[in-house]
Amino acid sequence: DKNELLFSEFGINYNDEPEIYKKGSVVIREEVLVDVVDKQGNMSKRTKTVVAILHCDIIKDAFWNKHPEVLGEKGTRAERKAASQKRREAGQGQGQGQEQEQHLDDPAAADKAE
């Protein structure tokens, strides 16, 4: 397999490589708290949206549970999947919208459809 080839040919252990080389990069918007000082010198905290570059595995639940806003949804991936299943059951036989929701919840299904 590829890992064996990397190790035998180049002495590189794939598992020791940084995430950026194994999974690539993801660019998302994140809200962060920043300190703001008004004209009177009073300090307060505000949220600010910043662009973040992450080097992580987006296939596993950890990413989606931490960043549900990427899909415009709230809650954990399991909660979103249950809600999506409910919507599918309520609208069975309505066609294309069903398929699209399944792809959002199941990256493997999206890969098969492409």
Side-chain angles (χ1 to χ4, degrees), residues 42-75:
N42 300 321
M43 187 173 294
S44 62
K45 296 226 181 249
R46 303 276 167 101
T47 59
K48 177 180 178 182
T49 302
V50 296
V51 173
I53 300 173
L54 308 175
H55 310 292
C56 60
D57 184 350
I58 66 168
I59 295 172
K60 295 188 178 154
D61 287 343
F63 173 82
W64 298 104
N65 288 336
K66 187 173 180 183
H67 303 285
E69 70 282 357
V70 171
L71 294 176
E73 299 179 10
K74 297 186 189 270

PDB file of all heavy atoms in Angstrom, residues 42-75:
ATOM      1  N   ASN A  42     -13.608  52.655  27.760  1.00  0.00           N
ATOM      2  CA  ASN A  42     -14.192  51.440  28.339  1.00  0.00           C
ATOM      3  C   ASN A  42     -13.873  50.241  27.450  1.00  0.00           C
ATOM      4  O   ASN A  42     -14.017  50.310  26.241  1.00  0.00           O
ATOM      5  CB  ASN A  42     -15.712  51.578  28.468  1.00  0.00           C
ATOM      6  CG  ASN A  42     -16.094  52.735  29.360  1.00  0.00           C
ATOM      7  OD1 ASN A  42     -15.444  52.984  30.369  1.00  0.00           O
ATOM      8  ND2 ASN A  42     -17.134  53.451  28.986  1.00  0.00           N
ATOM      9  N   MET A  43     -13.452  49.159  28.104  1.00  0.00           N
ATOM     10  CA  MET A  43     -13.114  47.956  27.352  1.00  0.00           C
ATOM     11  C   MET A  43     -14.285  46.972  27.415  1.00  0.00           C
ATOM     12  O   MET A  43     -14.904  46.807  28.450  1.00  0.00           O
ATOM     13  CB  MET A  43     -11.864  47.292  27.904  1.00  0.00           C
ATOM     14  CG  MET A  43     -11.397  46.132  27.037  1.00  0.00           C
ATOM     15  SD  MET A  43      -9.821  45.443  27.512  1.00  0.00           S
ATOM     16  CE  MET A  43      -8.717  46.773  27.174  1.00  0.00           C
ATOM     17  N   SER A  44     -14.557  46.372  26.284  1.00  0.00           N
ATOM     18  CA  SER A  44     -15.592  45.346  26.232  1.00  0.00           C
ATOM     19  C   SER A  44     -15.168  44.279  25.233  1.00  0.00           C
ATOM     20  O   SER A  44     -14.197  44.434  24.512  1.00  0.00           O
ATOM     21  CB  SER A  44     -16.942  45.952  25.832  1.00  0.00           C
ATOM     22  OG  SER A  44     -16.865  46.515  24.541  1.00  0.00           O
ATOM     23  N   LYS A  45     -15.907  43.201  25.214  1.00  0.00           N
ATOM     24  CA  LYS A  45     -15.611  42.104  24.279  1.00  0.00           C
ATOM     25  C   LYS A  45     -16.670  42.086  23.190  1.00  0.00           C
ATOM     26  O   LYS A  45     -17.843  42.296  23.434  1.00  0.00           O
ATOM     27  CB  LYS A  45     -15.614  40.768  25.011  1.00  0.00           C
ATOM     28  CG  LYS A  45     -14.521  40.675  26.053  1.00  0.00           C
ATOM     29  CD  LYS A  45     -13.843  39.349  25.924  1.00  0.00           C
ATOM     30  CE  LYS A  45     -12.770  39.219  26.978  1.00  0.00           C
ATOM     31  NZ  LYS A  45     -11.464  39.247  26.425  1.00  0.00           N
ATOM     32  N   ARG A  46     -16.235  41.842  21.976  1.00  0.00           N
ATOM     33  CA  ARG A  46     -17.129  41.732  20.822  1.00  0.00           C
ATOM     34  C   ARG A  46     -16.724  40.512  20.016  1.00  0.00           C
ATOM     35  O   ARG A  46     -15.591  40.056  20.083  1.00  0.00           O
ATOM     36  CB  ARG A  46     -17.017  42.967  19.909  1.00  0.00           C
ATOM     37  CG  ARG A  46     -17.279  44.286  20.569  1.00  0.00           C
ATOM     38  CD  ARG A  46     -18.778  44.542  20.595  1.00  0.00           C
ATOM     39  NE  ARG A  46     -19.101  45.641  21.481  1.00  0.00           N
ATOM     40  CZ  ARG A  46     -19.370  46.863  21.105  1.00  0.00           C
ATOM     41  NH1 ARG A  46     -19.367  47.178  19.844  1.00  0.00           N
ATOM     42  NH2 ARG A  46     -19.661  47.790  21.996  1.00  0.00           N
ATOM     43  N   THR A  47     -17.651  40.018  19.230  1.00  0.00           N
ATOM     44  CA  THR A  47     -17.289  38.923  18.332  1.00  0.00           C
ATOM     45  C   THR A  47     -16.900  39.499  16.978  1.00  0.00           C
ATOM     46  O   THR A  47     -17.471  40.485  16.521  1.00  0.00           O
ATOM     47  CB  THR A  47     -18.449  37.916  18.142  1.00  0.00           C
ATOM     48  OG1 THR A  47     -19.561  38.609  17.621  1.00  0.00           O
ATOM     49  CG2 THR A  47     -18.804  37.228  19.434  1.00  0.00           C
ATOM     50  N   LYS A  48     -15.915  38.881  16.388  1.00  0.00           N
ATOM     51  CA  LYS A  48     -15.430  39.308  15.088  1.00  0.00           C
ATOM     52  C   LYS A  48     -15.256  38.048  14.242  1.00  0.00           C
ATOM     53  O   LYS A  48     -14.787  37.025  14.725  1.00  0.00           O
ATOM     54  CB  LYS A  48     -14.089  40.016  15.243  1.00  0.00           C
ATOM     55  CG  LYS A  48     -13.458  40.449  13.950  1.00  0.00           C
ATOM     56  CD  LYS A  48     -12.126  41.138  14.209  1.00  0.00           C
ATOM     57  CE  LYS A  48     -11.482  41.530  12.895  1.00  0.00           C
ATOM     58  NZ  LYS A  48     -10.183  42.154  13.099  1.00  0.00           N
ATOM     59  N   THR A  49     -15.654  38.120  12.992  1.00  0.00           N
ATOM     60  CA  THR A  49     -15.491  36.986  12.096  1.00  0.00           C
ATOM     61  C   THR A  49     -14.138  37.103  11.396  1.00  0.00           C
ATOM     62  O   THR A  49     -13.821  38.131  10.826  1.00  0.00           O
ATOM     63  CB  THR A  49     -16.626  36.950  11.051  1.00  0.00           C
ATOM     64  OG1 THR A  49     -17.873  36.889  11.742  1.00  0.00           O
ATOM     65  CG2 THR A  49     -16.501  35.755  10.145  1.00  0.00           C
ATOM     66  N   VAL A  50     -13.373  36.018  11.492  1.00  0.00           N
ATOM     67  CA  VAL A  50     -12.055  35.985  10.857  1.00  0.00           C
ATOM     68  C   VAL A  50     -11.968  34.752   9.958  1.00  0.00           C
ATOM     69  O   VAL A  50     -12.697  33.790  10.132  1.00  0.00           O
ATOM     70  CB  VAL A  50     -10.912  35.939  11.898  1.00  0.00           C
ATOM     71  CG1 VAL A  50     -10.897  37.199  12.741  1.00  0.00           C
ATOM     72  CG2 VAL A  50     -11.006  34.712  12.775  1.00  0.00           C
ATOM     73  N   VAL A  51     -11.066  34.802   9.014  1.00  0.00           N
ATOM     74  CA  VAL A  51     -10.808  33.656   8.147  1.00  0.00           C
ATOM     75  C   VAL A  51      -9.761  32.787   8.839  1.00  0.00           C
ATOM     76  O   VAL A  51      -8.726  33.282   9.268  1.00  0.00           O
ATOM     77  CB  VAL A  51     -10.307  34.105   6.760  1.00  0.00           C
ATOM     78  CG1 VAL A  51      -9.890  32.922   5.920  1.00  0.00           C
ATOM     79  CG2 VAL A  51     -11.385  34.912   6.055  1.00  0.00           C
ATOM     80  N   ALA A  52     -10.061  31.507   8.962  1.00  0.00           N
ATOM     81  CA  ALA A  52      -9.138  30.577   9.612  1.00  0.00           C
ATOM     82  C   ALA A  52      -8.762  29.477   8.628  1.00  0.00           C
ATOM     83  O   ALA A  52      -9.601  28.967   7.896  1.00  0.00           O
ATOM     84  CB  ALA A  52      -9.789  29.970  10.844  1.00  0.00           C
ATOM     85  N   ILE A  53      -7.486  29.133   8.622  1.00  0.00           N
ATOM     86  CA  ILE A  53      -7.003  28.019   7.808  1.00  0.00           C
ATOM     87  C   ILE A  53      -6.704  26.877   8.763  1.00  0.00           C
ATOM     88  O   ILE A  53      -5.888  27.006   9.675  1.00  0.00           O
ATOM     89  CB  ILE A  53      -5.737  28.410   7.012  1.00  0.00           C
ATOM     90  CG1 ILE A  53      -6.061  29.576   6.084  1.00  0.00           C
ATOM     91  CG2 ILE A  53      -5.210  27.214   6.235  1.00  0.00           C
ATOM     92  CD1 ILE A  53      -4.860  30.159   5.384  1.00  0.00           C
ATOM     93  N   LEU A  54      -7.407  25.768   8.573  1.00  0.00           N
ATOM     94  CA  LEU A  54      -7.256  24.611   9.445  1.00  0.00           C
ATOM     95  C   LEU A  54      -6.623  23.468   8.672  1.00  0.00           C
ATOM     96  O   LEU A  54      -6.879  23.284   7.488  1.00  0.00           O
ATOM     97  CB  LEU A  54      -8.626  24.160   9.960  1.00  0.00           C
ATOM     98  CG  LEU A  54      -9.504  25.226  10.604  1.00  0.00           C
ATOM     99  CD1 LEU A  54     -10.868  24.651  10.948  1.00  0.00           C
ATOM    100  CD2 LEU A  54      -8.839  25.792  11.841  1.00  0.00           C
ATOM    101  N   HIS A  55      -5.813  22.697   9.351  1.00  0.00           N
ATOM    102  CA  HIS A  55      -5.206  21.496   8.776  1.00  0.00           C
ATOM    103  C   HIS A  55      -5.733  20.330   9.607  1.00  0.00           C
ATOM    104  O   HIS A  55      -5.163  20.000  10.646  1.00  0.00           O
ATOM    105  CB  HIS A  55      -3.686  21.562   8.834  1.00  0.00           C
ATOM    106  CG  HIS A  55      -3.137  22.840   8.290  1.00  0.00           C
ATOM    107  ND1 HIS A  55      -3.218  23.169   6.956  1.00  0.00           N
ATOM    108  CD2 HIS A  55      -2.541  23.885   8.902  1.00  0.00           C
ATOM    109  CE1 HIS A  55      -2.674  24.359   6.772  1.00  0.00           C
ATOM    110  NE2 HIS A  55      -2.260  24.810   7.934  1.00  0.00           N
ATOM    111  N   CYS A  56      -6.852  19.774   9.178  1.00  0.00           N
ATOM    112  CA  CYS A  56      -7.501  18.742   9.984  1.00  0.00           C
ATOM    113  C   CYS A  56      -8.294  17.798   9.097  1.00  0.00           C
ATOM    114  O   CYS A  56      -8.461  18.031   7.904  1.00  0.00           O
ATOM    115  CB  CYS A  56      -8.411  19.380  11.015  1.00  0.00           C
ATOM    116  SG  CYS A  56      -9.722  20.389  10.288  1.00  0.00           S
ATOM    117  N   ASP A  57      -8.798  16.758   9.718  1.00  0.00           N
ATOM    118  CA  ASP A  57      -9.597  15.751   9.034  1.00  0.00           C
ATOM    119  C   ASP A  57     -11.057  16.197   9.049  1.00  0.00           C
ATOM    120  O   ASP A  57     -11.676  16.248  10.105  1.00  0.00           O
ATOM    121  CB  ASP A  57      -9.434  14.414   9.763  1.00  0.00           C
ATOM    122  CG  ASP A  57     -10.151  13.278   9.068  1.00  0.00           C
ATOM    123  OD1 ASP A  57     -10.921  13.532   8.130  1.00  0.00           O
ATOM    124  OD2 ASP A  57      -9.927  12.127   9.474  1.00  0.00           O
ATOM    125  N   ILE A  58     -11.604  16.544   7.891  1.00  0.00           N
ATOM    126  CA  ILE A  58     -12.994  17.005   7.846  1.00  0.00           C
ATOM    127  C   ILE A  58     -13.978  15.855   7.643  1.00  0.00           C
ATOM    128  O   ILE A  58     -15.189  16.067   7.623  1.00  0.00           O
ATOM    129  CB  ILE A  58     -13.226  18.079   6.756  1.00  0.00           C
ATOM    130  CG1 ILE A  58     -13.037  17.504   5.363  1.00  0.00           C
ATOM    131  CG2 ILE A  58     -12.344  19.285   6.996  1.00  0.00           C
ATOM    132  CD1 ILE A  58     -13.529  18.398   4.258  1.00  0.00           C
ATOM    133  N   ILE A  59     -13.473  14.653   7.520  1.00  0.00           N
ATOM    134  CA  ILE A  59     -14.357  13.513   7.315  1.00  0.00           C
ATOM    135  C   ILE A  59     -14.947  13.035   8.642  1.00  0.00           C
ATOM    136  O   ILE A  59     -16.098  12.647   8.707  1.00  0.00           O
ATOM    137  CB  ILE A  59     -13.608  12.366   6.600  1.00  0.00           C
ATOM    138  CG1 ILE A  59     -13.223  12.834   5.203  1.00  0.00           C
ATOM    139  CG2 ILE A  59     -14.452  11.110   6.540  1.00  0.00           C
ATOM    140  CD1 ILE A  59     -12.322  11.894   4.461  1.00  0.00           C
ATOM    141  N   LYS A  60     -14.182  13.103   9.695  1.00  0.00           N
ATOM    142  CA  LYS A  60     -14.644  12.611  10.994  1.00  0.00           C
ATOM    143  C   LYS A  60     -15.572  13.611  11.673  1.00  0.00           C
ATOM    144  O   LYS A  60     -15.594  14.795  11.350  1.00  0.00           O
ATOM    145  CB  LYS A  60     -13.447  12.288  11.879  1.00  0.00           C
ATOM    146  CG  LYS A  60     -12.639  11.138  11.305  1.00  0.00           C
ATOM    147  CD  LYS A  60     -11.571  10.673  12.220  1.00  0.00           C
ATOM    148  CE  LYS A  60     -10.861   9.494  11.570  1.00  0.00           C
ATOM    149  NZ  LYS A  60      -9.528   9.341  12.021  1.00  0.00           N
ATOM    150  N   ASP A  61     -16.340  13.130  12.634  1.00  0.00           N
ATOM    151  CA  ASP A  61     -17.341  13.947  13.329  1.00  0.00           C
ATOM    152  C   ASP A  61     -16.763  15.109  14.122  1.00  0.00           C
ATOM    153  O   ASP A  61     -17.432  16.119  14.312  1.00  0.00           O
ATOM    154  CB  ASP A  61     -18.171  13.075  14.274  1.00  0.00           C
ATOM    155  CG  ASP A  61     -19.135  12.176  13.524  1.00  0.00           C
ATOM    156  OD1 ASP A  61     -19.397  12.453  12.341  1.00  0.00           O
ATOM    157  OD2 ASP A  61     -19.625  11.212  14.126  1.00  0.00           O
ATOM    158  N   ALA A  62     -15.529  14.992  14.597  1.00  0.00           N
ATOM    159  CA  ALA A  62     -14.947  16.038  15.446  1.00  0.00           C
ATOM    160  C   ALA A  62     -14.989  17.405  14.759  1.00  0.00           C
ATOM    161  O   ALA A  62     -15.358  18.412  15.379  1.00  0.00           O
ATOM    162  CB  ALA A  62     -13.519  15.678  15.831  1.00  0.00           C
ATOM    163  N   PHE A  63     -14.630  17.460  13.476  1.00  0.00           N
ATOM    164  CA  PHE A  63     -14.644  18.731  12.752  1.00  0.00           C
ATOM    165  C   PHE A  63     -16.062  19.292  12.674  1.00  0.00           C
ATOM    166  O   PHE A  63     -16.303  20.456  12.948  1.00  0.00           O
ATOM    167  CB  PHE A  63     -14.078  18.572  11.340  1.00  0.00           C
ATOM    168  CG  PHE A  63     -14.232  19.811  10.493  1.00  0.00           C
ATOM    169  CD1 PHE A  63     -13.327  20.852  10.604  1.00  0.00           C
ATOM    170  CD2 PHE A  63     -15.302  19.947   9.618  1.00  0.00           C
ATOM    171  CE1 PHE A  63     -13.477  21.997   9.850  1.00  0.00           C
ATOM    172  CE2 PHE A  63     -15.459  21.091   8.854  1.00  0.00           C
ATOM    173  CZ  PHE A  63     -14.540  22.126   8.967  1.00  0.00           C
ATOM    174  N   TRP A  64     -17.027  18.456  12.276  1.00  0.00           N
ATOM    175  CA  TRP A  64     -18.403  18.916  12.072  1.00  0.00           C
ATOM    176  C   TRP A  64     -19.088  19.276  13.374  1.00  0.00           C
ATOM    177  O   TRP A  64     -19.912  20.188  13.415  1.00  0.00           O
ATOM    178  CB  TRP A  64     -19.188  17.862  11.287  1.00  0.00           C
ATOM    179  CG  TRP A  64     -18.568  17.669   9.956  1.00  0.00           C
ATOM    180  CD1 TRP A  64     -17.792  16.631   9.547  1.00  0.00           C
ATOM    181  CD2 TRP A  64     -18.597  18.591   8.856  1.00  0.00           C
ATOM    182  NE1 TRP A  64     -17.351  16.830   8.258  1.00  0.00           N
ATOM    183  CE2 TRP A  64     -17.833  18.037   7.813  1.00  0.00           C
ATOM    184  CE3 TRP A  64     -19.206  19.824   8.641  1.00  0.00           C
ATOM    185  CZ2 TRP A  64     -17.660  18.661   6.583  1.00  0.00           C
ATOM    186  CZ3 TRP A  64     -19.036  20.458   7.420  1.00  0.00           C
ATOM    187  CH2 TRP A  64     -18.269  19.880   6.414  1.00  0.00           C
ATOM    188  N   ASN A  65     -18.746  18.591  14.470  1.00  0.00           N
ATOM    189  CA  ASN A  65     -19.305  18.941  15.768  1.00  0.00           C
ATOM    190  C   ASN A  65     -18.756  20.279  16.257  1.00  0.00           C
ATOM    191  O   ASN A  65     -19.461  21.044  16.899  1.00  0.00           O
ATOM    192  CB  ASN A  65     -19.027  17.848  16.800  1.00  0.00           C
ATOM    193  CG  ASN A  65     -19.854  16.612  16.540  1.00  0.00           C
ATOM    194  OD1 ASN A  65     -20.917  16.673  15.918  1.00  0.00           O
ATOM    195  ND2 ASN A  65     -19.368  15.477  17.003  1.00  0.00           N
ATOM    196  N   LYS A  66     -17.512  20.562  15.919  1.00  0.00           N
ATOM    197  CA  LYS A  66     -16.899  21.826  16.343  1.00  0.00           C
ATOM    198  C   LYS A  66     -17.316  22.991  15.443  1.00  0.00           C
ATOM    199  O   LYS A  66     -17.373  24.133  15.880  1.00  0.00           O
ATOM    200  CB  LYS A  66     -15.370  21.695  16.338  1.00  0.00           C
ATOM    201  CG  LYS A  66     -14.670  22.890  16.915  1.00  0.00           C
ATOM    202  CD  LYS A  66     -13.184  22.665  17.043  1.00  0.00           C
ATOM    203  CE  LYS A  66     -12.541  23.904  17.628  1.00  0.00           C
ATOM    204  NZ  LYS A  66     -11.102  23.790  17.705  1.00  0.00           N
ATOM    205  N   HIS A  67     -17.641  22.725  14.172  1.00  0.00           N
ATOM    206  CA  HIS A  67     -17.955  23.780  13.202  1.00  0.00           C
ATOM    207  C   HIS A  67     -19.265  23.516  12.456  1.00  0.00           C
ATOM    208  O   HIS A  67     -19.287  23.456  11.230  1.00  0.00           O
ATOM    209  CB  HIS A  67     -16.823  23.917  12.183  1.00  0.00           C
ATOM    210  CG  HIS A  67     -15.494  24.189  12.792  1.00  0.00           C
ATOM    211  ND1 HIS A  67     -15.142  25.411  13.295  1.00  0.00           N
ATOM    212  CD2 HIS A  67     -14.430  23.378  13.005  1.00  0.00           C
ATOM    213  CE1 HIS A  67     -13.924  25.352  13.781  1.00  0.00           C
ATOM    214  NE2 HIS A  67     -13.473  24.132  13.628  1.00  0.00           N
ATOM    215  N   PRO A  68     -20.397  23.397  13.169  1.00  0.00           N
ATOM    216  CA  PRO A  68     -21.667  23.121  12.476  1.00  0.00           C
ATOM    217  C   PRO A  68     -22.110  24.271  11.579  1.00  0.00           C
ATOM    218  O   PRO A  68     -22.861  24.081  10.635  1.00  0.00           O
ATOM    219  CB  PRO A  68     -22.667  22.888  13.612  1.00  0.00           C
ATOM    220  CG  PRO A  68     -22.095  23.630  14.768  1.00  0.00           C
ATOM    221  CD  PRO A  68     -20.600  23.514  14.602  1.00  0.00           C
ATOM    222  N   GLU A  69     -21.592  25.455  11.837  1.00  0.00           N
ATOM    223  CA  GLU A  69     -21.972  26.630  11.045  1.00  0.00           C
ATOM    224  C   GLU A  69     -21.512  26.533   9.594  1.00  0.00           C
ATOM    225  O   GLU A  69     -22.038  27.226   8.722  1.00  0.00           O
ATOM    226  CB  GLU A  69     -21.425  27.912  11.684  1.00  0.00           C
ATOM    227  CG  GLU A  69     -19.916  28.085  11.601  1.00  0.00           C
ATOM    228  CD  GLU A  69     -19.099  27.274  12.596  1.00  0.00           C
ATOM    229  OE1 GLU A  69     -19.669  26.578  13.442  1.00  0.00           O
ATOM    230  OE2 GLU A  69     -17.855  27.348  12.518  1.00  0.00           O
ATOM    231  N   VAL A  70     -20.557  25.656   9.320  1.00  0.00           N
ATOM    232  CA  VAL A  70     -20.070  25.482   7.945  1.00  0.00           C
ATOM    233  C   VAL A  70     -21.223  25.064   7.031  1.00  0.00           C
ATOM    234  O   VAL A  70     -21.316  25.505   5.896  1.00  0.00           O
ATOM    235  CB  VAL A  70     -18.917  24.457   7.891  1.00  0.00           C
ATOM    236  CG1 VAL A  70     -18.553  24.114   6.467  1.00  0.00           C
ATOM    237  CG2 VAL A  70     -17.699  25.001   8.630  1.00  0.00           C
ATOM    238  N   LEU A  71     -22.118  24.237   7.564  1.00  0.00           N
ATOM    239  CA  LEU A  71     -23.282  23.807   6.798  1.00  0.00           C
ATOM    240  C   LEU A  71     -24.495  24.681   7.083  1.00  0.00           C
ATOM    241  O   LEU A  71     -25.586  24.393   6.612  1.00  0.00           O
ATOM    242  CB  LEU A  71     -23.630  22.346   7.115  1.00  0.00           C
ATOM    243  CG  LEU A  71     -22.597  21.326   6.685  1.00  0.00           C
ATOM    244  CD1 LEU A  71     -22.993  19.938   7.140  1.00  0.00           C
ATOM    245  CD2 LEU A  71     -22.394  21.364   5.189  1.00  0.00           C
ATOM    246  N   GLY A  72     -24.301  25.739   7.868  1.00  0.00           N
ATOM    247  CA  GLY A  72     -25.409  26.631   8.191  1.00  0.00           C
ATOM    248  C   GLY A  72     -26.378  26.007   9.171  1.00  0.00           C
ATOM    249  O   GLY A  72     -27.537  26.392   9.231  1.00  0.00           O
ATOM    250  N   GLU A  73     -25.916  25.044   9.936  1.00  0.00           N
ATOM    251  CA  GLU A  73     -26.773  24.351  10.880  1.00  0.00           C
ATOM    252  C   GLU A  73     -26.178  24.438  12.276  1.00  0.00           C
ATOM    253  O   GLU A  73     -25.006  24.701  12.449  1.00  0.00           O
ATOM    254  CB  GLU A  73     -26.928  22.886  10.476  1.00  0.00           C
ATOM    255  CG  GLU A  73     -27.569  22.726   9.126  1.00  0.00           C
ATOM    256  CD  GLU A  73     -27.706  21.272   8.715  1.00  0.00           C
ATOM    257  OE1 GLU A  73     -27.478  20.387   9.552  1.00  0.00           O
ATOM    258  OE2 GLU A  73     -28.046  21.049   7.549  1.00  0.00           O
ATOM    259  N   LYS A  74     -27.033  24.215  13.250  1.00  0.00           N
ATOM    260  CA  LYS A  74     -26.579  24.216  14.638  1.00  0.00           C
ATOM    261  C   LYS A  74     -26.734  22.819  15.206  1.00  0.00           C
ATOM    262  O   LYS A  74     -27.488  22.013  14.703  1.00  0.00           O
ATOM    263  CB  LYS A  74     -27.389  25.214  15.453  1.00  0.00           C
ATOM    264  CG  LYS A  74     -27.189  26.638  14.968  1.00  0.00           C
ATOM    265  CD  LYS A  74     -27.892  27.614  15.871  1.00  0.00           C
ATOM    266  CE  LYS A  74     -27.873  28.995  15.282  1.00  0.00           C
ATOM    267  NZ  LYS A  74     -26.781  29.784  15.639  1.00  0.00           N
ATOM    268  N   GLY A  75     -26.006  22.524  16.273  1.00  0.00           N
ATOM    269  CA  GLY A  75     -26.083  21.218  16.909  1.00  0.00           C
ATOM    270  C   GLY A  75     -24.956  20.315  16.454  1.00  0.00           C
ATOM    271  O   GLY A  75     -24.186  20.657  15.571  1.00  0.00           O
TER     272      GLY A  75
END
